[in-house]
């Protein structure tokens, strides 16, 4: 069974540009989470989807970040416009139920210059 | 807020036993997870505790004391491939959601 996949693995953009990250969860997992790890800090929660609905987006840093999960399958996280402090590794995770373990993808390393 | 502490780095010898501690202060505690993460790879699930006590899974064991806000991950018969970061994560039940809050991770180096 395929695990959680994320695309791209790396992205280097300039400040002010737009970037869209994609996450494909494990098939059949209704719960999808986005996390972010900035340099030297812990992994931090961004938001949680249950199917196509946002269950909790309390971790989203500001309105430059927009997450979608149309159709309840894959999800995208768009950063527009990107700022220097947005650099970090963006992880996606999925789980079958909210009480089940979360399976993580390999992350997208975003560098904003 | 949530506060999770674990040592930044540890070094241990191949074949030995190492204990990685994690302390937490959270509201709405709903379980504690340990993940292993090799550089550039996805965090992979190791263990889960929601009740007090020890959970054993092969060479890995995890312990939880909810009253003390304390957990440890025990790795036995260390192998070189165990060199990785070990992440302690607390699941917190907030307004119906179950989110994970992570510590900064403990980078374990296994030496021959």
């Amino acid at each position: 069974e395929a695990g959680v996949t994320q695309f791209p693995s790396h992205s280097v953009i300039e400040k002010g540009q737009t970037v869209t990250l994609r996450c494909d969860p494990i098939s059949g997992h209704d719960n999808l989470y986005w996390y972010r790890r900035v340099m030297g800090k812990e992994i931090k929660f961004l938001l949680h989807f249950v199917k196509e609905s946002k269950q909790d987006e309390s971790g989203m840093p500001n309105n430059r970040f927009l997450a979608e999960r149309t159709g309840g399958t894959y999800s995208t996280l768009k950063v527009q416009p990107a700022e220097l402090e947005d650099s970090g590794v963006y992880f996606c995770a999925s789980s079958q139920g909210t009480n089940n373990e979360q399976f993580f993808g390999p992350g997208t390393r975003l560098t904003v210059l | 807020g949530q506060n999770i502490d674990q040592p930044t780095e540890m070094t241990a010898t191949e074949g030995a036993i190492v204990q990685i501690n994690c302390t937490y202060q959270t509201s709405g505690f709903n379980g504690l997870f340990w993940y292993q993460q090799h550089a550039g790879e996805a965090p992979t699930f190791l263990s889960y505790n929601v009740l007090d006590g020890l959970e054993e899974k092969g060479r890995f064991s995890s312990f939880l004391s909810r009253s003390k806000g304390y957990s440890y991950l025990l790795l036995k018969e260390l192998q070189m491939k165990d060199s990785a970061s070990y992440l302690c994560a607390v699941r917190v039940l907030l307004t119906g959601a179950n989110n994970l809050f992570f510590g900064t991770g403990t980078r374990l180096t296994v030496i021959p």
Side-chain angles (χ1 to χ4, degrees):
Chain A
E1 180 184 340
V4 177
T5 57
Q6 294 186 243
F7 182 82
S9 56
H10 292 81
S11 180
V12 181
I13 60 172
E14 292 188 351
K15 175 183 172 181
Q17 290 186 321
T18 297
V19 64
T20 300
L21 315 180
R22 173 173 170 141
C23 168
D24 286 78
I26 292 172
S27 177
H29 282 192
D30 288 339
N31 293 269
L32 187 149
Y33 305 81
W34 282 99
Y35 294 86
R36 175 174 75 171
R37 185 171 199 168
V38 297
M39 182 79 75
K41 298 285 186 76
E42 71 275 20
I43 296 174
K44 281 194 172 178
F45 167 80
L46 295 178
L47 89 159
H48 170 206
F49 283 100
V50 178
K51 295 186 181 178
E52 66 276 7
S53 299
K54 291 176 185 173
Q55 178 77 12
D56 181 357
E57 51 184 331
S58 61
M60 294 286 264
N62 52 61
N63 59 10
R64 295 185 293 103
F65 289 75
L66 175 64
E68 294 180 321
R69 193 184 182 195
T70 307
T73 54
Y74 71 91
S75 173
T76 57
L77 179 65
K78 182 162 72 173
V79 185
Q80 179 182 30
E83 297 289 343
L84 299 179
E85 65 264 25
D86 301 333
S87 294
V89 182
Y90 290 76
F91 290 102
C92 174
S94 72
S95 69
Q96 200 155 32
T98 53
N99 272 327
N100 296 107
E101 68 181 88
Q102 296 179 22
F103 294 85
F104 280 77
T108 293
R109 181 175 295 278
L110 173 65
T111 302
V112 183
L113 302 176
Chain B
Q2 324 296 337
N3 191 38
I4 299 158
D5 288 311
Q6 50 182 131
T8 305
E9 292 190 22
M10 296 183 72
T11 302
T13 306
E14 189 177 15
I17 300 172
V18 70
Q19 177 175 312
I20 302 174
N21 296 324
C22 172
T23 58
Y24 64 89
Q25 294 169 312
T26 65
S27 52
F29 177 84
N30 193 27
L32 188 143
F33 293 78
W34 284 95
Y35 283 84
Q36 179 192 60
Q37 186 181 21
H38 287 98
E41 298 182 9
T44 54
F45 169 78
L46 288 178
S47 69
Y48 168 63
N49 297 71
V50 67
L51 300 176
D52 291 349
L54 188 68
E55 294 283 340
E56 296 185 81
K57 191 186 290 187
R59 294 188 301 113
F60 295 79
S61 303
S62 59
F63 171 84
L64 175 68
S65 169
R66 288 171 297 171
S67 62
K68 295 181 179 177
Y70 168 69
S71 172
Y72 66 72
L73 179 70
L74 196 70
L75 293 78
K76 303 175 187 175
E77 301 167 19
L78 279 174
Q79 303 175 9
M80 299 300 289
K81 67 178 182 180
D82 296 330
S83 291
S85 285
Y86 291 85
L87 309 174
C88 172
V90 174
R91 186 164 62 192
V92 175
L93 180 60
L94 292 172
T95 59
N98 276 275
N99 302 326
L100 289 181
F101 290 84
F102 284 84
T104 53
T106 298
R107 185 190 303 272
L108 173 67
T109 302
V110 180
I111 58 176

